[in-house]
Amino acid sequence: MSGAAGPLLEPSAGEQPGPSGPVLVHARGLRKVYGGFTAVDGIDLDVRQGESFGILGPNGAGKSTTMRLVGCVSDPTEGELSILGLDPRHDGPSIRARLGVVPQKDTLDEDLTVRENVVVYGRYFGMSRAAVRAKADELLEFVQLSDRADSVVEPLSGGMKRRLTIARALVNDPDILLLDEPTTGLDPQARHVLWDRLYRLKREGVTLVLTTHYLDEAEQLCDRLVVMDGGRYVAEGSPADLIREHSTREVLEVRYRTDDHEPYAEALQRLAQRVEVLPDRVLLYVQDADETATAVLALGGERPMSLLPRRSTLEDVFLRLTGRTLVD
Ligand code: ADP
């Protein structure tokens, strides 16, 4: 669905292998200061055509601010920024015409029908009525809303509204689709439907830039991501690379019948490469969690209330890097 054009940057020699398309978003030392407060503190960005790039971090990390800079609705205080080979300071309108934006809060016209929401938006891009109607029908099919095309927006579920916002953002065949927290506030089933649609876009070669504070979302959708905290990056890489670099293969979660797990940590420490103590459990970082579970039971003493072996996730990476869990 995308068709990049314009004088784009080529990836420089010696960089990691990965998506090899041209760089669509390029930033160096990007900063955004509000009054005296630094929301984005000197970040670099390179997003290539066809890539699905994620910005992961807790509330207040600077994700939306970064997205606003990339979406050319806010000027950087400092640093170099180029989008689609153009300078947002001078070419904002031309860049914005080639972006698709899915904001955090839906901005649909609730009085119009589902189809009209897409059609009216398409008309802003100068598409003919016939072309935009055909495009709207194609997009509504894609986001599985064809059967609701003639109903008004207001009674739609949160997941449907979000899918409609995505359809609307795709009407101009954007070169980059920007999604700010695309599944925040949706129930698990609606999130999965949305992930499926976004995954299809990714497979079709659409360049996605998304922010999220859901680690599973980042793991599902992103080829590459940055972990942001306090306006800076704390890590960067593919989900698999980040897990390999900052965690062990598996984790054993050990729970006792108590609100304070600190006293259990010492005995468990020698069974693991690393231990994290949370209020409700101890996490043992190991290569083989089943084997470790047997070893925990063999310690004798108080029997744990539960033992949960699992693979390492980005949650473990985040905990390792920031000392905090990434919760709502
Ligand atoms: P995130 O999207 O990761 O939750 P934001 O980019 O929205 O984070 O915000 C980062 C920080 O910048 C927050 O502390 C927020 O309060 C602050 N901030 C964001 N926008 C503004 C603004 N317009 N004026 C002042 N401070 C802001």
Side-chain angles (χ1 to χ4, degrees):
M1 288 197 190
S2 82
L8 302 170
L9 295 165
E10 292 301 327
S12 47
E15 289 196 31
Q16 295 276 321
S20 54
V23 175
L24 303 190
V25 180
H26 171 82
R28 288 294 175 271
L30 199 59
R31 292 183 82 229
K32 180 71 187 184
V33 180
Y34 293 114
F37 181 81
T38 305
V40 171
D41 195 6
I43 61 166
D44 297 344
L45 269 176
D46 281 301
V47 181
R48 291 189 171 83
Q49 190 178 16
E51 191 172 27
S52 173
F53 180 84
I55 305 172
L56 174 72
N59 283 330
K63 305 183 300 293
S64 293
T65 305
T66 305
M67 214 53 160
R68 289 167 58 76
L69 295 172
V70 174
C72 303
V73 288
S74 163
D75 282 333
T77 311
E78 230 178 85
E80 197 185 310
L81 179 63
S82 140
I83 316 281
L84 301 165
L86 301 169
D87 181 347
R89 289 179 184 94
H90 303 115
D91 310 311
S94 334
I95 299 171
R96 285 196 295 274
R98 290 168 57 190
L99 301 177
V101 179
V102 179
Q104 207 173 113
K105 289 205 167 54
D106 294 320
T107 54
L108 297 164
D109 192 326
E110 305 242 323
D111 297 327
L112 296 181
T113 65
V114 165
R115 183 188 285 110
E116 283 163 354
N117 261 278
V118 182
V119 168
V120 167
Y121 204 72
R123 296 285 279 168
Y124 292 140
F125 293 97
M127 295 167 77
S128 74
R129 183 157 282 277
V132 82
R133 278 190 72 88
K135 186 76 185 173
D137 286 344
E138 177 199 318
L139 289 169
L140 292 178
E141 176 86 38
F142 173 70
V143 297
Q144 298 166 322
L145 284 175
S146 297
D147 57 339
R148 305 297 290 259
D150 296 316
S151 47
V152 287
V153 165
E154 199 272 323
L156 298 186
S157 69
M160 288 174 174
K161 285 182 183 167
R162 194 48 62 92
R163 272 157 33 216
L164 177 55
T165 305
I166 291 174
R168 198 182 63 171
L170 291 168
V171 77
N172 58 329
D173 276 334
D175 290 312
I176 310 172
L177 185 63
L178 304 177
L179 302 125
D180 198 2
E181 304 260 356
T183 66
T184 293
L186 301 185
D187 63 54
Q189 198 200 341
R191 293 178 73 207
H192 280 278
V193 174
L194 211 83
W195 283 353
D196 170 61
R197 296 296 98 183
L198 293 176
Y199 196 77
R200 277 179 196 234
L201 287 178
K202 176 169 139 53
R203 263 198 353 226
E204 286 175 27
V206 176
T207 307
L208 303 178
V209 178
L210 65 103
T211 69
T212 183
H213 64 275
Y214 295 121
L215 294 138
D216 48 354
E217 183 156 295
E219 221 165 319
Q220 292 266 345
L221 293 178
C222 301
D223 302 319
R224 203 160 56 81
L225 55 100
V226 292
V227 182
M228 233 176 148
D229 196 23
R232 296 176 188 215
Y233 292 169
V234 290
E236 187 174 0
S238 71
D241 285 348
L242 287 171
I243 291 168
R244 224 180 349 260
E245 200 174 323
H246 299 286
S247 195
T248 50
R249 202 165 70 94
E250 296 190 347
V251 185
L252 180 67
E253 299 198 359
V254 188
R255 283 170 208 263
Y256 291 93
R257 211 171 289 280
T258 176
D259 292 331
D260 179 13
H261 278 74
E262 200 64 59
Y264 298 92
E266 198 182 324
L268 296 172
Q269 184 90 55
R270 62 192 172 82
L271 302 179
Q273 278 171 248
R274 194 167 65 81
V275 166
E276 290 279 356
V277 184
L278 301 180
D280 62 340
R281 67 209 132 122
V282 182
L283 305 179
L284 303 186
Y285 288 92
V286 297
Q287 290 308 315
D288 184 333
D290 285 325
E291 200 173 86
T292 311
T294 309
V296 170
L297 293 174
L299 283 177
E302 186 182 337
R303 213 179 151 79
M305 193 169 75
S306 75
L307 292 167
L308 175 69
R310 61 168 176 84
R311 67 180 184 91
S312 270
T313 68
L314 285 176
E315 182 85 49
D316 300 297
V317 173
F318 191 80
L319 184 63
R320 176 77 194 266
L321 292 170
T322 67
R324 287 185 283 124
T325 51
L326 192 46
V327 288
D328 265 322

